Amino acid sequence: MNKIVVGSEEWCALPQLGIPAIKARVDSGAKTSALHAVNITPFTKENEQWVRFEVHPLQANGKTTVYCEAKVVDRRSVKSSSGKSEKRYVVRSVISFAETTWDIEVTLTNRDSMGYRMLLGRQAMSGKLLVDPEISFNLGEISPNLIEQYYKTHEKQASGLKIGLLASNPDLYSNRRIIEAGQQHGHEMEFLNIKDCYIKLDGKNPEMHYRGGRLLNDFDAIIPRIRPSITFYGTALTRHFAAMGVYTLNTASAITQSRDKLHSLQMLINDGLPIPTTGFANSPLDTEDLIDMVGGAPLIVKLLEGTQGKGVVLAETKKAAESLINAFKSLKANILVQQFIKESNGKDIRIFVVDGKVVESMMRTAAPGEFRANIHMGGSASKIKITAEEKRIAIQAAKTLGLKVAGVDIIRGSNGPLLLEVNSSPGLEGIEGVSDKDIAGAMIEAIEKGVKRKKNK
């Protein structure tokens, strides 16, 4: 068979994926091929793993979208040209060059920051192509008119809202579910990686930019789901979106307040909400009094910046408590010392509040030998019916901190329910796993109401 001579860039087609024309960078230095894909969602079809994804096949054009489905043939780590390793889904498709077709494997990844929506690697070229790097489009150009004909039916029509999910990991269950729920409600959903956003501060014309220089100026709403380690930057972005007139499901100030455990507890008790007795001190000189203040050992020591049960330690004796507190203080770590509620028996309640209403609740039970009930720490979950008082506390806690979406954690003490903390980015996997309710859908409905209220002001 005669090999096809191609240049460093060529038009090709992926007919099985419904892509009639896409400009590819032909790179014999790359082993694997890659296709630009966003909103990648795995699902099961006839007991096999598949993925749904969206392809923007044209450079600098986010409106033309091809919706694809393909069977997953592998999931492998691929190192990009920048040296960053990323785990990608691998799918198989027919590729077409100059009326010649063959099967290739492509990895799915977001190539927004790259010049080409497709990279053709040497595995896909082997035995089929010869590359002349000094030429381009040896197989011919495709006219703009023909491209327009190809993709006329793939132009997105404005039907719902344009909603951005501002987060760090598109593969997290919660993030995938929110994207899916938004699409089911007829909205255009886009995952925005926090680290790839940057801002222009300008009193007259504030702007949000995305990697590659794209201007993010057409969003109706943003859902911020910010990891604790990047709270400062994530809330700065959220605040800037709000300054641009974009509705944010949780505001930057509400997220910041909830992340500061000490500040949030002060706000909650000032609103009359019950919490376990808690102590805070800057110096280790009064460690003994601090321990006595919360009822003695056993007691809980919490790092102020901890999350998902990390940075939470049980000190079972007074000596252990003294050593632990002094060790943290010597590292200049900010900690809370909190009363241990023994009767909770390793259980707590996560109450999911959306737009001022309780949408679901679950009981979390700690793994054997563990006192923390967090799902991320191996805890198990079950659906539970909460009391009227627990419901009141949860709704009031979310309101106090100004959160439209909140995961409120409560324990049952001998004298009634006690509020532990309020999470501004609660995970969905545990609670949707024990419930038949569409929690992600409730979040999207809250956005619809919020945007409507904002427009009617």
Side-chain angles (χ1 to χ4, degrees):
M1 171 183 160
N2 292 328
K3 294 183 180 180
I4 302 168
V5 178
V6 296
S8 59
E9 54 183 336
E10 295 287 352
W11 285 97
C12 62
L14 301 169
Q16 285 183 325
L17 297 178
I19 299 172
I22 187 168
K23 194 184 290 183
R25 172 82 167 100
V26 182
D27 186 0
S28 58
K31 182 180 178 181
T32 57
S33 299
L35 176 67
H36 170 72
V38 295
N39 296 334
I40 303 168
T41 306
F43 68 99
T44 302
K45 182 176 180 180
E46 296 177 353
N47 296 320
E48 293 181 316
Q49 190 174 18
W50 284 56
V51 281
R52 292 188 187 93
F53 53 96
E54 298 173 20
V55 176
H56 302 150
L58 305 177
Q59 290 168 246
N61 181 337
K63 291 183 178 179
T64 299
T65 305
V66 179
Y67 296 90
C68 306
E69 288 187 359
K71 181 181 172 183
V72 175
V73 297
D74 195 7
R75 197 168 185 207
R76 64 177 75 125
S77 293
V78 178
K79 190 173 284 188
S80 68
S81 56
S82 63
K84 181 184 174 184
S85 186
E86 176 188 35
K87 200 156 191 180
R88 301 178 186 173
Y89 287 102
V90 183
V91 301
R92 189 172 285 120
S93 175
V94 165
I95 192 168
S96 175
F97 271 101
E99 299 183 355
T100 302
T101 62
W102 64 94
D103 285 341
I104 66 166
E105 288 184 355
V106 291
T107 64
L108 304 178
T109 185
N110 190 322
R111 291 180 57 83
D112 261 334
S113 62
M114 312 299 283
Y116 296 84
R117 297 303 176 138
M118 183 170 176
L119 177 76
L120 194 70
R122 61 179 180 271
Q123 280 184 335
M125 302 183 219
S126 181
K128 306 289 184 181
L129 304 178
L130 285 176
V131 184
D132 184 343
E134 293 183 343
I135 59 175
S136 295
F137 304 113
N138 190 52
L139 303 179
E141 276 274 25
I142 299 180
S143 71
N145 287 340
L146 189 54
I147 289 293
E148 186 178 351
Q149 288 180 35
Y150 282 158
Y151 288 114
K152 188 184 295 183
T153 58
H154 294 282
E155 282 284 336
K156 282 189 181 179
Q157 303 301 316
S159 56
L161 301 173
K162 184 168 184 180
I163 302 172
L165 177 58
L166 187 65
S168 297
N169 184 355
D171 292 329
L172 282 183
Y173 174 90
S174 300
N175 295 337
R176 296 200 317 264
R177 276 289 297 120
I178 291 168
I179 292 284
E180 181 184 74
Q183 291 169 338
Q184 288 172 347
H185 279 70
H187 304 303
E188 181 182 345
M189 302 294 296
E190 184 172 349
F191 182 87
L192 300 173
N193 201 311
I194 290 172
K195 67 179 177 59
D196 292 327
C197 295
Y198 52 103
I199 64 180
K200 173 190 174 185
L201 295 167
D202 186 317
K204 294 181 180 178
N205 185 31
E207 293 176 351
M208 183 73 69
H209 290 245
Y210 202 59
R211 63 179 183 182
R214 177 184 160 205
L215 190 61
L216 303 180
N217 61 352
D218 56 351
F219 284 88
D220 297 292
I222 292 293
I223 304 171
R225 291 186 62 83
I226 301 164
R227 284 190 324 212
S229 61
I230 51 174
T231 297
F232 180 81
Y233 193 65
T235 52
L237 297 177
T238 304
R239 196 178 303 114
H240 200 70
F241 270 117
M244 293 164 57
V246 179
Y247 177 79
T248 60
L249 186 56
N250 277 337
T251 66
S253 60
I255 296 167
T256 303
Q257 286 169 172
S258 68
R259 284 284 159 81
D260 185 332
K261 286 188 173 70
L262 179 61
H263 186 196
S264 64
L265 288 177
Q266 289 173 319
M267 292 180 69
L268 294 167
I269 61 172
N270 286 342
D271 259 10
L273 292 164
I275 67 167
T277 303
T278 304
F280 175 71
N282 184 55
S283 166
L285 297 177
D286 293 311
T287 297
E288 188 171 344
D289 190 37
L290 197 63
I291 292 170
D292 292 340
M293 186 192 298
V294 300
L299 56 78
I300 303 293
V301 179
K302 290 184 175 182
L303 281 172
L304 282 185
E305 58 272 20
T307 185
Q308 295 180 343
K310 297 169 186 174
V312 180
V313 185
L314 172 64
E316 299 195 52
T317 66
K318 184 177 181 181
K319 187 173 181 180
E322 288 174 346
S323 299
L324 193 59
I325 293 168
N326 292 337
F328 275 129
K329 286 299 175 189
S330 69
L331 296 171
K332 302 191 183 305
N334 287 314
I335 58 168
L336 295 177
V337 178
Q338 198 167 70
Q339 173 190 13
F340 177 59
I341 309 300
K342 188 177 180 181
E343 60 267 27
S344 69
N345 200 26
K347 295 180 179 180
D348 70 15
I349 299 170
R350 163 60 62 88
I351 303 174
F352 216 99
V353 179
V354 179
D355 206 14
K357 297 177 182 177
V358 170
V359 293
E360 191 57 282
S361 309
M362 67 175 173
M363 173 77 80
R364 301 186 300 189
T365 303
E370 177 60 72
F371 73 96
R372 294 164 293 185
N374 303 71
I375 303 299
H376 288 85
M377 304 301 295
S380 58
S382 58
K383 192 171 176 179
I384 187 174
K385 185 175 176 62
I386 59 173
T387 67
E389 176 65 4
E390 288 163 348
K391 182 177 180 180
R392 182 195 72 80
I393 289 172
I395 292 172
Q396 183 62 39
K399 184 179 178 182
T400 298
L401 297 181
L403 292 168
K404 288 289 184 184
V405 173
V408 182
D409 295 341
I410 286 176
I411 53 174
R412 289 174 169 172
S414 55
N415 295 317
L418 296 169
L419 184 55
L420 290 178
E421 63 179 293
V422 184
N423 192 319
S424 61
S425 297
L428 300 179
E429 189 167 9
I431 203 156
E432 285 199 340
V434 299
S435 169
D436 56 0
K437 292 185 180 176
D438 180 7
I439 314 291
M443 294 171 65
I444 299 299
E445 288 166 9
I447 285 178
E448 293 168 346
K449 292 175 187 174
V451 171
K452 188 176 181 180
R453 284 193 297 263
K454 192 171 183 293
K455 287 180 177 177
N456 290 336
K457 278 186 179 180

